[in-house]
Amino acid sequence: MRHLVLSDIHANLEALEACLADADIRGYDDVLILGDVVGYGADPNAVVDRVRELEPVALVRGNHDKVSVGLESADGFNAVARAAARWTTDALTPSNRQWVAALPRGPLVVDDDIQICHGSPVDEDEYIFGPSEAQLALLTTTRNICLFGHTHYPAVFQALNGTMEGTRVASAVEAEIVLRTGLKYLINPGSVGQPRDGDPRAAYAIVDAPAGRIEMVRLPYPVQVAQDKIRKAGLPDPLADRLASGR
Ligand code: ZN
C-alpha cells in the first residue's frame, strides 16, 4: 500500500500539480493530507477542489485552515499571515469553506502502521523542530509511523523503546528512507506549497509501510507563476518573495 502524503499545500496550485504529476509516475494507492491546505497562496479554491477530487482516505486540519474559516482567531498570527487568512476567508466559496471547516482535528489513525497529525500527536498546533520535541511526541504515538507537518521542514526522527535513535533531515536531497523494524518513526514530508528549509522545490512523500520504505521527494515547479498570482491577488509581497528562496 503506497500512501501519497501531502502537507502544507498552502493554496499553491502550481506546486500541488507538480507533486501530483510526479506522484502519478511513481504510483500510489491513496492520499493522506496533513493540514494547511489553504492560507498564504492565491489558489485556495482550485487547491481545495483538487484535493477533494483526490478523495483522501485520511486528512487533518492545520492552523491556517482553522483561522481561514473562523474556527480560531488570527491573534497568534503575524501581520502577513493574518492578511493572508483574511484574504482566504473572502476568497473561499461557501462549499469549500464548509469543506475546510469540517476537516478533523489530528491525530488520526490511518491503519495498523500509520497515524497522522498536523503539528504533533499531542497538540495539533505544536511545532516539532528537534529531537527533544520529537522524543516527547514519540512517547504518545500509537502507531510505528506518525506523519506530521506544520514546520515546513522535511524531517525523520526515529526512536527505540522511547529513546531517540537518530535524526535525519532530508532537506535538499531526494532520499529513500528504509524503515527498521522495532523503531518508531516521526516523519515530516516537508511542505508542498511553501518550503522553508532553504530549498524552494516542492516537497512530498510516498509511504509504503509494509515494504518498509519512504520516498522523500523534492521537485521544481513554476515558482514564478505562483508568485505572480500572489502579487496580482493583492496578497502581501513577502509571501511571493519567500517562495523563490524557500525560506
Ligand atoms: Zn503550514
Side-chain angles (χ1 to χ4, degrees), residues 7-10 35-36 38 40 63-64 118 149-152 191 194 196:
S7 189
D8 297 277
I9 303 168
H10 281 290
D36 279 0
V38 300
Y40 293 139
N63 50 323
H64 287 263
H118 183 61
H150 197 33
T151 63
H152 300 207
S191 167
Q194 198 198 74
R196 293 181 189 162

Side-chain angles (χ1 to χ4, degrees), residues 232-247:
K232 213 171 274 174
L235 282 157
D237 272 345
L239 292 173
D241 300 339
R242 70 186 304 175
L243 292 182
S245 57
R247 293 276 180 207

Side-chain angles (χ1 to χ4, degrees), residues 2-247:
R2 287 166 64 82
H3 304 283
L4 167 59
V5 187
L6 303 170
S7 189
D8 297 277
I9 303 168
H10 281 290
N12 186 334
L13 183 64
E14 286 66 36
L16 175 61
E17 291 294 3
C19 291
L20 292 175
D22 186 71
D24 275 343
I25 295 164
R26 291 169 184 267
Y28 61 91
D29 299 300
D30 62 24
V31 179
L32 313 178
I33 303 283
L34 309 187
D36 279 0
V37 176
V38 300
Y40 293 139
D43 275 313
N45 287 307
V47 163
V48 170
D49 289 342
R50 197 73 176 89
V51 170
R52 291 174 76 167
E53 278 170 25
L54 295 171
E55 298 181 358
V57 289
L59 66 186
V60 292
R61 65 189 187 182
N63 50 323
H64 287 263
D65 301 322
K66 282 191 286 182
V67 172
S68 293
V69 296
L71 285 174
E72 202 167 274
S73 91
D75 288 351
F77 278 8
N78 62 36
V80 166
R82 212 178 306 134
R86 216 176 296 128
W87 182 93
T88 304
T89 305
D90 294 339
L92 281 171
T93 64
S95 163
N96 284 340
R97 191 174 309 135
Q98 216 168 32
W99 183 87
V100 172
L103 288 170
R105 173 204 296 261
L108 219 66
V109 167
V110 177
D111 56 28
D112 289 346
D113 301 306
I114 298 172
Q115 70 178 148
I116 63 171
C117 60
H118 183 61
S120 99
V122 184
D123 176 347
E124 61 179 348
D125 295 327
E126 186 191 324
Y127 290 91
I128 299 175
F129 276 111
S132 54
E133 297 112 34
Q135 178 155 14
L136 285 175
L138 279 163
L139 289 172
T140 76
T141 56
T142 59
R143 295 294 181 271
N144 283 336
I145 301 169
C146 179
L147 304 168
F148 72 104
H150 197 33
T151 63
H152 300 207
Y153 277 77
V156 176
F157 300 103
Q158 53 196 54
L160 180 67
N161 300 326
T163 307
M164 293 307 290
E165 255 265 316
T167 308
R168 284 183 276 176
V169 179
S171 75
V173 284
E174 190 174 319
E176 181 170 284
I177 311 295
V178 177
L179 302 174
R180 283 163 49 200
T181 38
L183 293 190
K184 278 177 104 179
Y185 289 89
L186 198 57
I187 296 167
N188 188 331
S191 167
V192 171
Q194 198 198 74
R196 293 181 189 162
D197 60 342
D199 182 346
R201 295 179 300 167
Y204 78 95
I206 292 178
V207 176
D208 189 341
R213 280 178 29 187
I214 298 183
E215 293 158 47
M216 305 280 281
V217 183
R218 298 305 287 260
L219 77 163
Y221 72 93
V223 170
Q224 217 181 324
V225 177
Q227 289 180 305
D228 288 347
K229 285 182 177 177
I230 286 171
R231 294 198 179 99
K232 213 171 274 174
L235 282 157
D237 272 345
L239 292 173
D241 300 339
R242 70 186 304 175
L243 292 182
S245 57
R247 293 276 180 207

